Short mmCIF file of all heavy atoms in Angstrom, two decimals:
data_model
loop_
_atom_site.label_atom_id
_atom_site.label_comp_id
_atom_site.label_asym_id
_atom_site.label_seq_id
_atom_site.Cartn_x
_atom_site.Cartn_y
_atom_site.Cartn_z
N PRO I 89 2.29 1.48 -2.67
CA PRO I 89 2.86 0.18 -3.07
C PRO I 89 1.80 -0.81 -3.50
O PRO I 89 2.10 -1.81 -4.14
CB PRO I 89 3.58 -0.29 -1.80
CG PRO I 89 2.92 0.45 -0.68
CD PRO I 89 2.50 1.77 -1.25
N ARG I 90 0.55 -0.54 -3.16
CA ARG I 90 -0.54 -1.48 -3.51
C ARG I 90 -1.26 -1.07 -4.78
O ARG I 90 -2.23 -1.72 -5.16
CB ARG I 90 -1.53 -1.55 -2.36
CG ARG I 90 -0.99 -2.14 -1.06
CD ARG I 90 -0.76 -3.63 -1.16
NE ARG I 90 -0.37 -4.18 0.12
CZ ARG I 90 -1.23 -4.74 0.98
NH1 ARG I 90 -2.49 -4.82 0.66
NH2 ARG I 90 -0.81 -5.21 2.12
N GLU I 91 -0.83 0.00 -5.41
CA GLU I 91 -1.54 0.45 -6.61
C GLU I 91 -0.77 0.04 -7.86
O GLU I 91 0.42 0.32 -7.99
CB GLU I 91 -1.71 1.97 -6.58
CG GLU I 91 -2.60 2.49 -7.70
CD GLU I 91 -2.94 3.97 -7.57
OE1 GLU I 91 -2.46 4.61 -6.63
OE2 GLU I 91 -3.68 4.47 -8.44
N ARG I 92 -1.46 -0.61 -8.74
CA ARG I 92 -0.84 -1.08 -9.98
C ARG I 92 -1.58 -0.50 -11.18
O ARG I 92 -2.76 -0.15 -11.09
CB ARG I 92 -0.89 -2.60 -10.06
CG ARG I 92 0.06 -3.30 -9.10
CD ARG I 92 -0.01 -4.80 -9.28
NE ARG I 92 1.05 -5.47 -8.54
CZ ARG I 92 1.24 -6.77 -8.54
NH1 ARG I 92 0.43 -7.56 -9.25
NH2 ARG I 92 2.22 -7.32 -7.84
N LEU I 93 -0.85 -0.45 -12.28
CA LEU I 93 -1.48 -0.09 -13.55
C LEU I 93 -2.08 -1.38 -14.10
O LEU I 93 -1.35 -2.27 -14.56
CB LEU I 93 -0.45 0.50 -14.51
CG LEU I 93 -0.98 0.91 -15.88
CD1 LEU I 93 -2.07 1.97 -15.77
CD2 LEU I 93 0.15 1.41 -16.78
N GLY I 94 -3.41 -1.49 -14.04
CA GLY I 94 -4.04 -2.76 -14.36
C GLY I 94 -3.51 -3.82 -13.42
O GLY I 94 -3.35 -3.58 -12.23
N GLY I 95 -3.21 -4.96 -13.95
CA GLY I 95 -2.65 -6.01 -13.10
C GLY I 95 -1.15 -6.09 -13.16
O GLY I 95 -0.55 -7.03 -12.63
N PRO I 97 2.65 -5.69 -12.40
CA PRO I 97 3.48 -5.35 -11.24
C PRO I 97 4.13 -3.98 -11.43
O PRO I 97 4.52 -3.60 -12.54
CB PRO I 97 4.53 -6.47 -11.22
CG PRO I 97 3.84 -7.64 -11.87
CD PRO I 97 2.97 -7.02 -12.94
N ASP I 135 7.47 4.35 6.80
CA ASP I 135 7.79 2.92 6.87
C ASP I 135 9.24 2.69 6.44
O ASP I 135 9.73 3.35 5.52
CB ASP I 135 6.89 2.12 5.92
CG ASP I 135 5.42 2.21 6.30
OD1 ASP I 135 5.11 2.79 7.36
OD2 ASP I 135 4.60 1.73 5.52
N PRO I 136 9.89 1.72 7.06
CA PRO I 136 11.21 1.35 6.54
C PRO I 136 11.11 0.99 5.06
O PRO I 136 10.12 0.36 4.64
CB PRO I 136 11.59 0.13 7.39
CG PRO I 136 10.79 0.26 8.64
CD PRO I 136 9.50 0.92 8.23
N GLU I 139 10.26 -2.55 4.23
CA GLU I 139 8.86 -2.92 4.42
C GLU I 139 7.97 -2.34 3.32
O GLU I 139 6.96 -2.95 2.93
CB GLU I 139 8.37 -2.45 5.80
CG GLU I 139 8.99 -3.21 6.95
CD GLU I 139 8.56 -4.68 6.97
OE1 GLU I 139 7.41 -4.96 6.67
OE2 GLU I 139 9.41 -5.53 7.28
N PHE I 140 8.32 -1.19 2.84
CA PHE I 140 7.58 -0.59 1.73
C PHE I 140 7.70 -1.50 0.50
O PHE I 140 6.73 -1.74 -0.22
CB PHE I 140 8.14 0.80 1.43
CG PHE I 140 7.30 1.63 0.50
CD1 PHE I 140 6.25 2.40 0.95
CD2 PHE I 140 7.58 1.63 -0.86
CE1 PHE I 140 5.48 3.17 0.08
CE2 PHE I 140 6.83 2.39 -1.75
CZ PHE I 140 5.78 3.17 -1.27
N ILE I 142 8.28 -4.71 0.54
CA ILE I 142 7.48 -5.92 0.78
C ILE I 142 6.02 -5.65 0.48
O ILE I 142 5.32 -6.48 -0.11
CB ILE I 142 7.68 -6.40 2.23
CG1 ILE I 142 9.11 -6.94 2.42
CG2 ILE I 142 6.66 -7.48 2.59
CD1 ILE I 142 9.49 -7.19 3.86
N ASP I 143 5.56 -4.48 0.87
CA ASP I 143 4.17 -4.12 0.61
C ASP I 143 3.89 -4.01 -0.88
O ASP I 143 2.74 -4.18 -1.32
CB ASP I 143 3.84 -2.79 1.30
CG ASP I 143 2.40 -2.72 1.79
OD1 ASP I 143 1.78 -3.79 1.94
OD2 ASP I 143 1.90 -1.61 2.01
N ALA I 144 4.92 -3.73 -1.64
CA ALA I 144 4.76 -3.67 -3.09
C ALA I 144 4.86 -5.05 -3.73
O ALA I 144 4.76 -5.18 -4.95
CB ALA I 144 5.81 -2.75 -3.69
N GLY I 145 5.09 -6.04 -2.89
CA GLY I 145 5.19 -7.40 -3.41
C GLY I 145 6.60 -7.83 -3.73
O GLY I 145 6.83 -8.87 -4.33
N TRP I 146 7.58 -7.02 -3.32
CA TRP I 146 8.98 -7.36 -3.57
C TRP I 146 9.57 -8.08 -2.37
O TRP I 146 9.06 -8.00 -1.26
CB TRP I 146 9.82 -6.10 -3.78
CG TRP I 146 9.50 -5.27 -4.97
CD1 TRP I 146 8.43 -5.38 -5.81
CD2 TRP I 146 10.25 -4.14 -5.43
NE1 TRP I 146 8.47 -4.40 -6.77
CE2 TRP I 146 9.58 -3.63 -6.56
CE3 TRP I 146 11.42 -3.51 -5.01
CZ2 TRP I 146 10.05 -2.52 -7.27
CZ3 TRP I 146 11.89 -2.42 -5.71
CH2 TRP I 146 11.22 -1.93 -6.83
N ASP I 147 10.72 -8.70 -2.61
CA ASP I 147 11.55 -9.21 -1.52
C ASP I 147 12.83 -8.37 -1.52
O ASP I 147 13.61 -8.44 -2.47
CB ASP I 147 11.87 -10.68 -1.74
CG ASP I 147 12.72 -11.25 -0.61
OD1 ASP I 147 13.07 -10.49 0.32
OD2 ASP I 147 13.03 -12.45 -0.65
N PRO I 148 13.05 -7.58 -0.48
CA PRO I 148 14.24 -6.72 -0.49
C PRO I 148 15.54 -7.47 -0.20
O PRO I 148 16.63 -6.93 -0.40
CB PRO I 148 13.96 -5.72 0.65
CG PRO I 148 13.01 -6.42 1.55
CD PRO I 148 12.20 -7.33 0.69
N SER I 149 15.44 -8.71 0.24
CA SER I 149 16.64 -9.44 0.65
C SER I 149 17.70 -9.52 -0.46
O SER I 149 18.89 -9.29 -0.19
CB SER I 149 16.29 -10.85 1.13
OG SER I 149 15.35 -10.79 2.16
N GLY I 167 15.26 8.82 10.23
CA GLY I 167 15.91 7.52 10.07
C GLY I 167 17.05 7.34 11.06
O GLY I 167 16.88 7.52 12.26
N ARG I 168 18.21 7.04 10.53
CA ARG I 168 19.35 6.80 11.42
C ARG I 168 20.06 8.08 11.81
O ARG I 168 21.04 8.05 12.54
CB ARG I 168 20.32 5.85 10.72
CG ARG I 168 19.70 4.51 10.48
CD ARG I 168 20.51 3.63 9.55
NE ARG I 168 19.63 2.65 8.95
CZ ARG I 168 20.00 1.61 8.24
NH1 ARG I 168 21.28 1.41 8.03
NH2 ARG I 168 19.13 0.78 7.73
N GLU I 241 6.07 12.70 12.51
CA GLU I 241 5.45 11.65 11.71
C GLU I 241 5.40 12.09 10.26
O GLU I 241 5.27 13.28 9.96
CB GLU I 241 4.02 11.37 12.19
CG GLU I 241 3.96 10.74 13.56
CD GLU I 241 2.53 10.43 13.97
OE1 GLU I 241 1.75 10.03 13.09
OE2 GLU I 241 2.22 10.63 15.15
N LYS I 243 3.41 12.12 6.96
CA LYS I 243 2.07 11.89 6.39
C LYS I 243 1.85 12.84 5.22
O LYS I 243 2.37 13.95 5.21
CB LYS I 243 0.99 12.14 7.44
CG LYS I 243 0.94 11.13 8.55
CD LYS I 243 -0.30 11.29 9.42
CE LYS I 243 -0.21 12.50 10.29
NZ LYS I 243 -1.29 12.56 11.30
N PRO H 95 -6.67 8.40 10.62
CA PRO H 95 -5.25 8.54 10.35
C PRO H 95 -4.69 7.53 9.38
O PRO H 95 -3.52 7.56 9.07
CB PRO H 95 -4.66 8.30 11.74
CG PRO H 95 -5.59 7.30 12.36
CD PRO H 95 -6.94 7.60 11.81
N HIS H 292 20.01 0.68 14.43
CA HIS H 292 19.65 2.06 14.68
C HIS H 292 18.40 2.12 15.56
O HIS H 292 17.55 1.23 15.50
CB HIS H 292 19.45 2.82 13.38
CG HIS H 292 18.27 2.37 12.58
ND1 HIS H 292 17.05 2.96 12.69
CD2 HIS H 292 18.14 1.40 11.67
CE1 HIS H 292 16.21 2.36 11.86
NE2 HIS H 292 16.84 1.42 11.23
N PRO H 293 18.25 3.13 16.39
CA PRO H 293 17.17 3.14 17.36
C PRO H 293 15.80 3.30 16.72
O PRO H 293 15.64 3.98 15.72
CB PRO H 293 17.50 4.34 18.24
CG PRO H 293 18.39 5.20 17.41
CD PRO H 293 19.14 4.29 16.50
N ASP H 316 -1.38 5.61 21.38
CA ASP H 316 -1.93 5.82 20.04
C ASP H 316 -2.08 4.45 19.38
O ASP H 316 -1.09 3.83 18.97
CB ASP H 316 -0.97 6.72 19.24
CG ASP H 316 -1.47 6.99 17.84
OD1 ASP H 316 -2.21 6.14 17.28
OD2 ASP H 316 -1.11 8.03 17.28
N THR H 319 -0.68 4.01 15.73
CA THR H 319 0.78 3.92 15.67
C THR H 319 1.25 2.59 16.24
O THR H 319 2.17 1.96 15.70
CB THR H 319 1.41 5.09 16.44
OG1 THR H 319 0.94 6.31 15.87
CG2 THR H 319 2.92 5.06 16.36
N ASP H 322 0.64 -0.20 13.80
CA ASP H 322 1.59 -0.08 12.70
C ASP H 322 3.00 -0.50 13.13
O ASP H 322 3.71 -1.20 12.42
CB ASP H 322 1.60 1.38 12.21
CG ASP H 322 1.89 1.48 10.74
OD1 ASP H 322 1.65 0.50 10.01
OD2 ASP H 322 2.38 2.53 10.31
N HIS H 325 3.19 -4.21 13.36
CA HIS H 325 3.24 -4.82 12.03
C HIS H 325 4.63 -4.69 11.41
O HIS H 325 5.19 -5.64 10.88
CB HIS H 325 2.19 -4.13 11.15
CG HIS H 325 1.86 -4.88 9.91
ND1 HIS H 325 1.30 -4.28 8.81
CD2 HIS H 325 2.00 -6.18 9.55
CE1 HIS H 325 1.11 -5.17 7.86
NE2 HIS H 325 1.53 -6.33 8.29
N LEU H 326 5.18 -3.50 11.51
CA LEU H 326 6.47 -3.25 10.85
C LEU H 326 7.62 -3.93 11.59
O LEU H 326 8.55 -4.43 10.95
CB LEU H 326 6.72 -1.74 10.75
CG LEU H 326 5.77 -1.01 9.79
CD1 LEU H 326 5.95 0.49 9.90
CD2 LEU H 326 6.00 -1.47 8.35
N MET H 328 7.35 -6.66 13.24
CA MET H 328 7.20 -8.08 12.90
C MET H 328 7.63 -8.33 11.46
O MET H 328 8.27 -9.33 11.15
CB MET H 328 5.74 -8.49 13.08
CG MET H 328 5.42 -9.91 12.68
SD MET H 328 3.66 -10.29 12.82
CE MET H 328 2.97 -9.40 11.41
N SER H 329 7.28 -7.40 10.59
CA SER H 329 7.52 -7.41 9.15
C SER H 329 6.28 -7.86 8.39
O SER H 329 5.62 -8.84 8.73
CB SER H 329 8.70 -8.28 8.70
OG SER H 329 8.83 -8.18 7.28
N ARG H 330 6.02 -7.10 7.34
CA ARG H 330 4.91 -7.43 6.45
C ARG H 330 5.16 -8.71 5.66
O ARG H 330 4.25 -9.21 5.00
CB ARG H 330 4.68 -6.28 5.47
CG ARG H 330 4.11 -5.04 6.10
CD ARG H 330 4.12 -3.91 5.10
NE ARG H 330 3.45 -2.73 5.61
CZ ARG H 330 3.83 -1.49 5.35
NH1 ARG H 330 4.88 -1.27 4.60
NH2 ARG H 330 3.16 -0.46 5.84
N ARG H 331 6.40 -9.19 5.71
CA ARG H 331 6.68 -10.36 4.89
C ARG H 331 5.87 -11.57 5.35
O ARG H 331 5.75 -12.55 4.62
CB ARG H 331 8.18 -10.66 4.85
CG ARG H 331 8.78 -11.23 6.10
CD ARG H 331 10.23 -11.67 5.89
NE ARG H 331 11.10 -10.59 5.48
CZ ARG H 331 11.68 -10.53 4.28
NH1 ARG H 331 11.46 -11.45 3.39
NH2 ARG H 331 12.49 -9.53 4.00
N ASP H 333 2.67 -11.42 6.20
CA ASP H 333 1.25 -11.28 5.84
C ASP H 333 0.89 -12.43 4.89
O ASP H 333 1.58 -12.63 3.89
CB ASP H 333 1.00 -9.95 5.10
CG ASP H 333 1.19 -8.75 6.01
OD1 ASP H 333 1.47 -8.94 7.21
OD2 ASP H 333 1.10 -7.61 5.51
N ALA H 335 -1.52 -12.69 2.82
CA ALA H 335 -2.08 -12.27 1.53
C ALA H 335 -2.09 -10.75 1.45
O ALA H 335 -2.16 -10.06 2.47
CB ALA H 335 -3.51 -12.79 1.38
N ARG H 336 -1.93 -10.26 0.24
CA ARG H 336 -2.11 -8.81 0.03
C ARG H 336 -2.80 -8.60 -1.31
O ARG H 336 -2.60 -9.36 -2.26
CB ARG H 336 -0.78 -8.07 0.11
CG ARG H 336 0.29 -8.50 -0.85
CD ARG H 336 1.56 -7.65 -0.67
NE ARG H 336 2.15 -7.80 0.64
CZ ARG H 336 3.12 -8.67 0.95
NH1 ARG H 336 3.58 -9.47 0.03
NH2 ARG H 336 3.61 -8.75 2.17
N LEU H 337 -3.61 -7.56 -1.35
CA LEU H 337 -4.33 -7.23 -2.57
C LEU H 337 -3.73 -6.00 -3.22
O LEU H 337 -3.43 -5.02 -2.53
CB LEU H 337 -5.80 -6.92 -2.27
CG LEU H 337 -6.73 -8.07 -1.90
CD1 LEU H 337 -8.11 -7.51 -1.59
CD2 LEU H 337 -6.82 -9.08 -3.03
N PHE H 338 -3.56 -6.03 -4.50
CA PHE H 338 -3.18 -4.84 -5.25
C PHE H 338 -4.44 -4.27 -5.91
O PHE H 338 -5.26 -5.03 -6.43
CB PHE H 338 -2.11 -5.17 -6.29
CG PHE H 338 -0.83 -5.63 -5.66
CD1 PHE H 338 -0.51 -6.97 -5.59
CD2 PHE H 338 0.04 -4.72 -5.07
CE1 PHE H 338 0.65 -7.40 -4.98
CE2 PHE H 338 1.20 -5.13 -4.45
CZ PHE H 338 1.51 -6.48 -4.40
N ASN H 339 -4.53 -2.96 -5.86
CA ASN H 339 -5.74 -2.25 -6.34
C ASN H 339 -6.97 -2.71 -5.58
O ASN H 339 -8.07 -2.78 -6.12
CB ASN H 339 -5.95 -2.46 -7.85
CG ASN H 339 -4.81 -1.89 -8.68
OD1 ASN H 339 -4.05 -1.04 -8.22
ND2 ASN H 339 -4.67 -2.37 -9.91
N GLY H 340 -6.77 -3.04 -4.31
CA GLY H 340 -7.86 -3.63 -3.52
C GLY H 340 -8.97 -2.66 -3.19
O GLY H 340 -10.11 -3.09 -3.01
N ILE H 371 -8.38 -3.79 -11.98
CA ILE H 371 -7.91 -5.17 -12.00
C ILE H 371 -7.28 -5.42 -10.64
O ILE H 371 -6.30 -4.78 -10.26
CB ILE H 371 -6.90 -5.40 -13.13
CG1 ILE H 371 -7.60 -5.22 -14.48
CG2 ILE H 371 -6.27 -6.78 -13.02
CD1 ILE H 371 -6.70 -5.35 -15.68
N VAL H 373 -5.40 -7.82 -7.97
CA VAL H 373 -4.49 -8.96 -7.95
C VAL H 373 -4.27 -9.37 -6.50
O VAL H 373 -4.00 -8.53 -5.64
CB VAL H 373 -3.15 -8.62 -8.62
CG1 VAL H 373 -2.16 -9.78 -8.49
CG2 VAL H 373 -3.36 -8.28 -10.09
N GLN H 375 -1.86 -11.40 -4.03
CA GLN H 375 -0.54 -12.02 -3.89
C GLN H 375 -0.52 -12.76 -2.56
O GLN H 375 -0.94 -12.20 -1.54
CB GLN H 375 0.57 -10.97 -3.92
CG GLN H 375 1.97 -11.59 -3.90
CD GLN H 375 3.07 -10.53 -3.78
OE1 GLN H 375 3.16 -9.82 -2.80
NE2 GLN H 375 3.90 -10.43 -4.82
N ARG H 404 5.95 -15.95 -4.38
CA ARG H 404 4.88 -15.00 -4.05
C ARG H 404 3.85 -15.05 -5.18
O ARG H 404 3.72 -14.12 -5.98
CB ARG H 404 5.45 -13.58 -3.90
CG ARG H 404 6.42 -13.43 -2.74
CD ARG H 404 6.93 -12.00 -2.59
NE ARG H 404 7.67 -11.55 -3.74
CZ ARG H 404 8.94 -11.89 -3.99
NH1 ARG H 404 9.59 -12.68 -3.17
NH2 ARG H 404 9.56 -11.44 -5.06
N GLU H 406 0.65 -15.02 -7.60
CA GLU H 406 -0.38 -14.00 -7.78
C GLU H 406 -1.57 -14.56 -8.58
O GLU H 406 -1.40 -15.38 -9.48
CB GLU H 406 0.20 -12.78 -8.52
CG GLU H 406 1.27 -12.08 -7.70
CD GLU H 406 1.69 -10.73 -8.28
OE1 GLU H 406 1.28 -10.39 -9.41
OE2 GLU H 406 2.43 -10.03 -7.59
#
Side-chain angles (χ1 to χ4, degrees):
Chain I
R90 295 289 186 95
E91 187 172 2
R92 288 182 170 182
L93 180 60
D135 297 354
E139 290 294 322
F140 191 86
I142 291 169
D143 213 20
W146 295 10
D147 181 358
S149 304
R168 296 168 204 190
E241 292 182 38
K243 291 190 288 190
Chain H
H292 67 93
D316 181 332
T319 302
D322 211 24
H325 196 201
L326 292 171
M328 176 183 73
S329 181
R330 289 172 174 144
R331 72 172 60 247
D333 293 357
R336 58 179 63 93
L337 287 178
F338 296 101
N339 297 340
I371 295 177
V373 175
Q375 185 186 63
R404 296 181 298 282
E406 295 191 351

